[in-house]
C-alpha cells in the first residue's frame, strides 16, 4: 500500500516544482509549458535509474533489470526530446528565446552536448541496448547506464536553472 501511494506522491512532488518555478514572473524561460511534463519525465528517469542501481542488492534483481532497463530507455528518450524542445529557439518571448539559446548555442552549449546529450542520454541508451547481448555483464551495463542517466539529469537541471537566470531582467 505504501509503495502504491509513493508513486503519485513522487509525481506530485516533481510536478509541484513546476508551479514553484512559474511563480518567478521575471524569468519567462521558467514558465515554459513543457516544464511540468519534463519534470515528471525526469522523475520517472531518476526513479528507474535509482531502482536499477538498487535492484542487484534485492531479491529478483535480474528480472527487475529486464523491466527497468527498457523503462529507463524509453523515458530517457522522452527526456532527450523535451530537453531538445526546451533548448530550441521556439519560445514565445525574447527573454525565453535568449535563455534557451544559452543552452543550445551559448555558455552552456558544450555542457549540454557533452553531459546531457552524449554522456547523459546517448551513452546510457547504447548501454541499455547492449544489456540483452552482454550476458553476465548486462547488470553492470545497466548500473553504469543508470549512473550516467542521473549525471545527465543533474547537468540538465543545473544548466536549465542557470540559463533562466542568465538573461537580464531589464
Amino acid at each position: 500500500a505504501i509503495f502504491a501511494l509513493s508513486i503519485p506522491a513522487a509525481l506530485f512532488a516533481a510536478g509541484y516544482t513546476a508551479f514553484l518555478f512559474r511563480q518567478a514572473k521575471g524569468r519567462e524561460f521558467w514558465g515554459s509549458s513543457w516544464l511540468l511534463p519534463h519534470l515528471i519525465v525526469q522523475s520517472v528517469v531518476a526513479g528507474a535509474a535509482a531502482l536499477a542501481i538498487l535492484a542487484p542488492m534485492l531479491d529478483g534483481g535480474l528480472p527487475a533489470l529486464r523491466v527497468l532497463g527498457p523503462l529507463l530507455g524509453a523515458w530517457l528518450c522522452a527526456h532527450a526530446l523535451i530537453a531538445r524542445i526546451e533548448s530550441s529557439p521556439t519560445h514565445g518571448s525574447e527573454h525565453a528565446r535568449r535563455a534557451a539559446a544559452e543552452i543550445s548555442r551559448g555558455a552552456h552549449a558544450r555542457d549540454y552536448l557533452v553531459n546531457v546529450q552524449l554522456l547523459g542520454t546517448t551513452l546510457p541508451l547504447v548501454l541499455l541496448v547492449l544489456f540483452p547481448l552482454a550476458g553476465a555483464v548486462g547488470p553492470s551495463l545497466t548500473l553504469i547506464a543508470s549512473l550516467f542517466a542521473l549525471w545527465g539529469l543533474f547537468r540538465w537541471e543545473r544548466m536549465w536553472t542557470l540559463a533562466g537566470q542568465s538573461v537580464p531582467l531589464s
Side-chain angles (χ1 to χ4, degrees):
I2 293 176
F3 179 74
L5 292 174
S6 67
I7 293 172
L11 293 175
F12 174 79
Y16 181 69
T17 304
F19 298 107
L20 293 176
F21 271 103
R22 281 216 175 129
Q23 290 179 3
K25 298 294 183 199
R27 303 297 179 179
E28 295 171 19
F29 184 62
W30 293 343
S32 167
S33 59
W34 286 99
L35 181 56
L36 176 62
H38 199 192
L39 287 174
I40 290 173
V41 165
Q42 290 177 70
S43 71
V44 175
V45 169
L51 287 173
I53 292 167
L54 295 174
M57 296 175 241
L58 306 171
D59 289 336
L62 190 57
L65 289 178
R66 287 194 178 109
V67 173
L68 290 168
L71 177 73
L72 176 60
W75 287 87
L76 255 179
C77 288
H79 162 62
L81 176 65
I82 296 172
R84 184 69 189 115
I85 292 168
E86 286 269 70
S87 61
S88 69
T90 58
H91 295 274
S93 72
E94 178 63 24
H95 182 277
R97 283 192 296 275
R98 287 176 57 198
E102 285 295 310
I103 295 172
S104 60
R105 300 183 310 273
H108 304 290
R110 184 165 188 235
D111 191 17
Y112 175 64
L113 177 66
V114 172
N115 288 306
V116 177
Q117 289 185 331
L118 183 63
L119 296 177
T121 306
T122 305
L123 179 61
L125 287 172
V126 168
L127 293 173
L128 292 169
V129 167
L130 293 175
F131 171 79
L133 310 171
V137 297
S140 298
L141 293 180
T142 306
L143 171 68
I144 295 166
S146 297
L147 292 170
F148 276 107
L150 290 171
W151 173 253
L153 289 179
F154 167 72
R155 296 307 298 179
W156 169 258
E157 285 302 319
R158 182 181 182 280
M159 78 180 64
W160 183 86
T161 303
L162 290 173
Q165 295 174 339
S166 67
V167 180
L169 293 175
S170 58

